[in-house]
Amino acid sequence: MICDNFNSRALMFAGLFAAFAAFFGIISSSSSVSKYSSELSARDEAKYGTLVAKLDSPLVVGDNICYMAIGYMEESKMQLLLPASLTLIPLNAREEMFGLKSKRTQQDDHMYPILLSFCHGKDIHDIFSEVNVPEQEEIMIVIPALYKNKSSGNTHVCSFLPVLYLDSILGVLGGVVSYGMRKQYHPSSGIGGWFEVAEEKNDNKMWHIKNVIHSNFTHQPSSKQMAQLPKFFSAVFRLPFITVSYFGKYFSYHAEIQTKTIHKAVAKDLSWIYKGAAVTTAINSVYVEYTFAMSDALNAEEVLK
């Protein structure tokens, strides 16, 4: 059982980055959607061109090697994690959207699904400078939810990111400045360190951040590949992402991914507690390698009307 008590050092780093961004007026910008007009380099065009072409305002591309799992949390506690403009998706609607069928017991009906993603990222860069950030470990939590636009009153299904954990200071800085994300920096120093990652051969990997989160996955590289991601995972990535900055501002962006390898995996041990709510059950785990492209993060009130 792991606890997220907003480690003071992590908050200190995130706060400094948020202050830096606010000083330069980056996070507080309210730009509207604009079509991308520049040309990609030959390298990026060959690798990411198809994905970038699907986005209105592409900004970042890269490659991830990930373990993903569906975690479950009590619905009443999950709602407490959401900011004011977000609510949970009703049971019948989310079963249809994500292909998740409960056992139709009262206990199961009150458990809410979220995506937990544990990734090693490389070749990550913005499409303008093409300067890669150092390879990084990133843990991403995604909660499918309903976003209500305060101005229009319209509701949109989205993927909400309450927090991300990284061992890359540049990755945190880029996320806070460019996307308003609540990223936390946890330096990596191997086993016994603050952000621990252990890998045995090519079929087992463990992530552990003291007092935050723990996971241990295995997969069989020689097993038959899956043709596509399970419906829940692919649906979550297709939805617009919503983030809320450290200053309470809502941002939205889109992501496109192209999977290269997908295998079934097993989460031998996984737990996360956030603000007193627990995730200790994981199902439908997968190992996936994919390329991705992300759009610029824009004012959610303007792009999700």
Side-chain angles (χ1 to χ4, degrees):
M1 190 66 67
I2 317 296
C3 290
D4 182 353
N5 294 319
F6 278 97
N7 186 286
S8 59
R9 286 180 289 181
L11 275 181
M12 177 185 70
F13 283 114
L16 287 173
F17 298 145
F20 171 86
F23 179 77
F24 286 100
I26 301 174
I27 287 183
S28 59
S29 64
S30 58
S31 55
S32 57
V33 176
S34 60
K35 286 286 185 180
Y36 172 67
S37 59
S38 300
E39 293 184 0
L40 293 176
S41 68
R43 183 192 69 172
D44 278 359
E45 179 64 43
K47 189 172 185 180
Y48 307 109
T50 301
L51 298 178
V52 167
K54 298 178 181 179
L55 299 173
D56 281 329
S57 304
L59 181 62
V60 175
V61 295
D63 296 85
N64 275 339
I65 300 174
C66 306
Y67 285 93
M68 299 180 187
I70 302 174
Y72 282 89
M73 181 180 288
E74 289 184 37
E75 193 169 285
S76 58
K77 294 182 178 179
M78 177 68 76
Q79 181 61 57
L80 298 177
L81 303 184
L82 301 182
S85 295
L86 295 176
T87 56
L88 299 179
I89 301 171
L91 175 65
N92 291 338
R94 66 178 183 255
E95 286 185 340
E96 181 178 350
M97 290 178 191
F98 305 124
L100 297 176
K101 299 295 182 181
S102 71
K103 298 177 182 177
R104 308 308 303 171
T105 67
Q106 185 175 6
Q107 181 180 3
D108 290 329
D109 287 355
H110 287 82
M111 300 299 286
Y112 197 85
I114 67 173
L115 169 65
L116 298 104
S117 175
F118 302 79
C119 296
H120 179 85
K122 61 180 182 178
D123 295 333
I124 300 173
H125 57 273
D126 68 82
I127 60 176
F128 305 105
S129 72
E130 296 188 68
V131 177
N132 289 335
V133 300
E135 294 191 17
Q136 63 185 29
E137 301 294 331
E138 179 180 73
I139 301 174
M140 181 171 68
I141 314 296
V142 187
I143 304 174
L146 298 175
Y147 166 73
K148 185 175 182 179
N149 187 303
K150 292 182 180 179
S151 300
S152 68
N154 294 329
T155 300
H156 303 266
V157 183
C158 66
S159 292
F160 171 58
L161 291 88
V163 64
L164 296 93
Y165 309 106
L166 289 87
D167 68 344
S168 165
I169 193 168
L170 291 179
V172 170
L173 179 58
V176 171
V177 171
S178 299
Y179 286 84
M181 291 177 172
R182 291 177 179 259
K183 288 192 172 186
Q184 294 185 15
Y185 174 52
H186 296 269
S188 176
S189 55
I191 295 301
W194 195 8
F195 194 132
E196 303 173 17
V197 179
E199 191 165 9
E200 298 177 8
K201 299 180 180 179
N202 293 318
D203 59 357
N204 174 261
K205 193 165 184 178
M206 179 272 289
W207 285 263
H208 176 77
I209 303 176
K210 187 177 181 181
N211 297 324
V212 177
I213 196 166
H214 178 78
S215 67
N216 191 346
F217 288 92
T218 61
H219 81 288
Q220 296 296 326
S222 59
S223 64
K224 183 179 179 180
Q225 286 200 40
M226 300 172 63
Q228 59 187 10
L229 284 172
K231 185 175 181 179
F232 179 77
F233 300 107
S234 57
V236 165
F237 276 98
R238 282 196 302 268
L239 295 173
F241 284 87
I242 288 281
T243 68
V244 181
S245 75
Y246 282 102
F247 297 99
K249 190 171 183 62
Y250 290 76
F251 289 91
S252 178
Y253 69 93
H254 284 80
E256 294 287 343
I257 67 171
Q258 178 63 56
T259 58
K260 296 182 288 186
T261 299
I262 311 172
H263 293 286
K264 288 184 178 180
V266 176
K268 297 192 298 183
D269 184 19
L270 188 152
S271 55
W272 177 59
I273 295 182
Y274 185 68
K275 296 184 179 181
V279 171
T280 56
T281 302
I283 65 170
N284 294 356
S285 302
V286 296
Y287 167 89
V288 56
E289 300 177 13
Y290 65 85
T291 58
F292 68 87
M294 295 167 55
S295 70
D296 194 3
L298 304 172
N299 187 337
E301 287 286 302
E302 295 185 14
V303 296
L304 297 176
K305 295 182 178 180

